[in-house]
Amino acid sequence: MIKNKFLFILFSVLFIFSCSDDEGADYIPPGNETPETIQASFTYTVSETDPHVLYLDNTTEGNGDFNSIWNYGLGGDNISDVPGLIEVRYDNEGEYTITLYVIFDGLTTTATQTIRVDENGICPNGFCGSGGSESLKAAATTFAVGTISRSSWLNAGGQHTEILKSEFNSITSEYEMKMNIMYPTQDSYDFSAADAIVGFAQANDMHVHGHALIWHNATPTWVENFTGTDAEFEAMVKDYITTTVTRYKGKVRSWDVVNEALDDSSGHPLRNSVFKQKMGDDYIKKCFQFARDADPDVLLFYNDYNMASSSTKRAAMFKLVDNLGDLIDGVGGQMHISYNGPSATQIQSLADGVVSRNLKLHFAELDIRANPDNDLTSLTNDRSEAQRAKYKEVVAIYNSIPLENKFALTVWGVRDNESWLIDFWGNPEWPLLFDSGYNKKPAYYGYLEGLQ
Ligand code: XIL
């Protein structure tokens, strides 16, 4: 019905007394401003007592007279809307598309939603089967299911901690295992936050993906302004990598040794970071060697963004990776993508390139923007469904690679409102699997569907 409860009650009363001959529509007397169109919208819920019954709720709002008509997808005639929830039975298994037509001023707008019905009734959120209550990590049997956290959130208890434990089996630190946090001053390391994250993972039988030893965006100021010789700089980097990797030997499964080394200018040369300036073009190889020497068993990754969307950057990345020979175990393709791109073909190209090199593939930093063009102020059903389809596509591509190339798929955040993208792009955004109330979104079910 109408979102504004006060208006709803008021206009329901008016409606009853108006003895309307347009029975079924929600009436709001025309105001001074007449909109040009009214956007159709509705929600649905499955009855808690009868899983074959759906309640449809017309949420269309407007300040002019409009007619609302339903098609329940059951093959019958269209039915006029009536005030209150509408109860519809779906007894047979299958997929049904429900359409709401809203007619205003001779114009018709529609909203559609598809539901699925299996032998147990209407599938919650469209996800059928016993997996409806299954966790991500239980469903993904062949690779680690990762997300990020922060030391202050891990042991705070509450839903964040519960979701980490119930859904995921791999943790990446969002920012506390980067150089500016672990090596804040020339004289001292600070592993307190990293220790908390690694300790939590150990206590809860989870992997830790270490991210990231070297990243130009998390270099401490004292390193940026290093005053010693180049040889002293290199010795410092060697000490940092050796100290860090040794500390977490046997506790951290894998490290991003170098993150985002490639520049976005033509040809994607190496970014002109302080590491390149002081240690030369082969600084990446040196860093991998330091890490390898510290822990022969830990898995070493190179991680970068736009690996699917840019074929030229991907080519530059593979050149860099090929040059590392046996020092590297895998490639992290950051999956900061959008509901409408990159395409499945582009994502598959990244997977194929990694698989053909017999390397492990990390679909890292997955978040899927629902609002890349800033055309939404709230997450619509349509966009949420498109996002769900993209999650399904990404997971399905990952799940189809050979077992020996599988490693982990890591989502970059738990709740929408905690995503780094909101600040980064300055737009409203809902890119993750859980909404701000920790409710599973259609995106979550898309992830599960990708595993089927
Ligand atoms: C981001 C974190 O989410 C932020 O909290 C932090 O302030 C900056 O870094 N690519 C990466 C990640 O490799 O480390 C970044 O994470 C997001 C982009």
Side-chain angles (χ1 to χ4, degrees), residues 9 32 48 92 98 115 118 123 128 140 147-148 150 155 175 190 208 227 259 276 322 330 393 436 449:
I9 292 164
N32 295 335
E48 284 182 10
N92 300 322
I98 303 163
I115 59 153
D118 72 3
C123 308
C128 299
T147 191
I148 54 171
R150 305 178 183 182
N155 294 305
Y175 61 88
D190 181 355
V208 177
T227 46
N259 189 33
K276 175 179 178 302
D322 291 343
E393 179 182 288
S436 58
E449 286 161 358

Side-chain angles (χ1 to χ4, degrees), residues 214 230-238 241 273-288 290:
I214 302 291
D230 289 357
E232 285 165 343
F233 184 94
E234 188 168 319
M236 176 276 293
V237 172
K238 180 176 183 184
I241 292 180
S273 69
V274 67
F275 302 98
K276 175 179 178 302
Q277 289 167 26
K278 306 271 189 196
M279 293 166 67
D281 280 3
D282 57 349
Y283 83 91
I284 297 176
K285 199 167 204 168
K286 290 177 181 173
C287 291
F288 271 77
F290 300 151

Side-chain angles (χ1 to χ4, degrees), residues 54-361:
L54 198 69
Y55 294 122
L56 293 169
D57 189 2
N58 179 345
T59 58
T60 305
E61 293 179 79
N63 58 357
D65 288 354
F66 59 89
N67 273 314
S68 306
I69 297 168
W70 294 97
N71 185 304
Y72 304 142
L74 289 164
D77 291 339
N78 291 348
I79 313 279
S80 289
D81 188 34
V82 292
L85 295 179
I86 295 173
E87 218 177 291
V88 192
R89 279 200 76 81
Y90 291 86
D91 283 319
N92 300 322
E93 288 178 43
E95 202 168 273
Y96 300 89
T97 299
I98 303 163
T99 309
L100 173 72
Y101 300 94
V102 171
I103 301 133
F104 171 73
D105 206 15
L107 291 172
T108 303
T109 60
T110 62
T112 61
Q113 296 196 50
T114 301
I115 59 153
R116 295 187 186 95
V117 181
D118 72 3
E119 70 275 14
N120 300 314
I122 299 157
C123 308
N125 293 299
F127 185 76
C128 299
S130 58
S133 58
E134 196 173 27
S135 70
L136 299 177
K137 69 178 177 186
T141 52
T142 54
F143 59 87
V145 179
T147 191
I148 54 171
S149 193
R150 305 178 183 182
S151 60
S152 59
W153 291 352
L154 282 172
N155 294 305
Q159 282 170 286
H160 179 83
T161 311
E162 282 316 306
I163 288 181
L164 284 187
K165 290 187 200 172
S166 60
E167 298 286 346
F168 299 97
N169 52 23
S170 176
I171 300 187
T172 300
S173 165
E174 182 168 16
Y175 61 88
E176 290 160 316
M177 291 173 80
K178 293 170 179 168
M179 192 179 192
N180 57 340
I181 304 292
M182 296 193 292
Y183 203 3
T185 64
Q186 184 148 20
D187 309 321
S188 61
Y189 289 101
D190 181 355
F191 292 113
S192 52
D195 284 354
I197 287 163
V198 174
F200 177 88
Q202 286 201 295
N204 293 289
D205 204 18
M206 301 170 86
H207 295 295
V208 177
H209 176 66
H211 170 85
L213 291 169
I214 302 291
W215 184 32
H216 67 282
N217 255 341
T219 308
T221 316
W222 72 268
V223 172
E224 291 285 0
N225 302 328
F226 195 80
T227 46
T229 65
D230 289 357
E232 285 165 343
F233 184 94
E234 188 168 319
M236 176 276 293
V237 172
K238 180 176 183 184
D239 184 72
Y240 157 67
I241 292 180
T242 307
T243 302
T244 307
V245 173
T246 304
R247 184 181 187 88
Y248 296 116
K249 202 171 169 174
K251 299 175 183 172
V252 164
R253 179 193 189 199
S254 46
W255 278 104
D256 288 331
V257 179
V258 179
N259 189 33
E260 302 182 357
L262 295 170
D263 193 88
D264 287 318
S265 60
S266 167
H268 300 284
L270 282 184
R271 210 180 275 280
N272 191 25
S273 69
V274 67
F275 302 98
K276 175 179 178 302
Q277 289 167 26
K278 306 271 189 196
M279 293 166 67
D281 280 3
D282 57 349
Y283 83 91
I284 297 176
K285 199 167 204 168
K286 290 177 181 173
C287 291
F288 271 77
Q289 189 68 61
F290 300 151
R292 176 55 69 227
D293 291 346
D295 185 350
D297 299 321
V298 73
L299 296 171
L300 302 180
F301 281 77
Y302 176 74
N303 196 58
D304 213 328
Y305 59 89
N306 288 355
M307 292 295 99
S309 60
S310 167
S311 59
T312 54
K313 192 163 179 189
R314 193 164 60 239
M317 180 274 289
F318 281 132
K319 198 169 160 205
L320 181 162
V321 162
D322 291 343
N323 184 46
L324 292 169
D326 289 346
L327 285 171
I328 186 168
D329 298 294
V331 167
Q334 294 181 18
M335 300 299 282
H336 298 297
I337 63 173
S338 295
Y339 77 97
N340 55 357
S343 67
T345 310
Q346 290 173 303
I347 298 168
Q348 189 66 53
S349 299
L350 167 62
D352 291 347
V354 175
V355 168
S356 71
R357 286 168 170 78
N358 296 321
L359 292 168
K360 295 204 177 295
L361 174 63

